[in-house]
Amino acid sequence: MYRVLTAGTLAFGVVLFGLAACAGTPDNSPGAVAARTAATADSVIQATAAARTVAAGTAIEATIQEPLASGTNIAGQQVMAIVSRNVLDAGGGVAIPGGASIVLAIAQLSAAKGAGTADGSIALTMSSLHINDSTYQPRGRVGAVPHSLAPVTGAPGDRNVVVTAGTPITITLTQPFKLASR
C-alpha cells in the first residue's frame, strides 16, 4: 500500500531523523535538541512551500462576487472574485486554495448602442490574488465574461451589459506563478 506524504508528514519524519542524528552529539540537552529539531523542521517546511509553482496555462476557476452593469460601473473600478476550487502545483499539492480571493479591475465596460448592435463590451483584468494573509500579482488573462443585456431607460435600442453576482469566470495564467515561502 502506498501512502501520500504531505509537508507535515515529511516535516515530522525529518524531525525524528534529526533527533536520532543528534543522539551522538556532545550537546544533547533538551534545549539544544529542541532547537536543532525546530530549525530542521522549519527549513523542510519552507523548502516545500518555496517549491510551489503553478504552470503557465493553468486555469483558475472563480466566481464574481458583486453585480456589474455598464449603467453603474466604469472602467478602473475593482470587483472581487472567489476561487471556486483548489488549483494544484506541479507536484499535485494545493497551491491556490478554493476560497482565495482575487481582485479584478474593469478594463472595459460599455453598453450596446442602438438596436443594430449585437452586444456591448466587458473586459476584466486580474490585479491581485490573496491567499490567507499573503498578496500575489500573478499574470493571467480573464476569459470571456458571461453577461446579459438589459434595456437602458430613456435610450430606445441601447442595452446595458449586466453581470450578476455568482457569475463564473476562468483566468488562465500567462506565466508560471511561484508562491513565496510561508
Side-chain angles (χ1 to χ4, degrees), residues 69-73 108-114 117-122 147-152 155 157-162:
S70 57
T72 56
N73 296 97
Q108 183 178 21
L109 182 60
S110 60
K113 298 291 184 186
T117 306
D119 204 359
S121 64
I122 181 167
H147 61 277
S148 60
L149 298 174
V152 176
D158 289 0
R159 296 171 313 271
N160 277 322
V161 169
V162 178

Side-chain angles (χ1 to χ4, degrees), residues 53-126:
T53 300
V54 182
T58 299
I60 301 171
E61 295 178 16
T63 55
I64 294 175
Q65 297 300 296
E66 53 207 91
L68 299 170
S70 57
T72 56
N73 296 97
I74 60 171
Q77 288 181 317
Q78 293 184 331
V79 62
M80 295 296 295
I82 300 294
V83 176
S84 303
R85 64 180 187 179
N86 294 341
V87 177
L88 306 180
D89 63 15
V94 175
I96 304 171
S101 61
I102 300 172
V103 177
L104 303 167
I106 300 172
Q108 183 178 21
L109 182 60
S110 60
K113 298 291 184 186
T117 306
D119 204 359
S121 64
I122 181 167
L124 302 173
T125 58
M126 182 167 55

Side-chain angles (χ1 to χ4, degrees), residues 11-23 40:
F12 181 73
V14 170
V15 168
L16 289 178
F17 180 75
L19 287 173
C22 293
T40 302

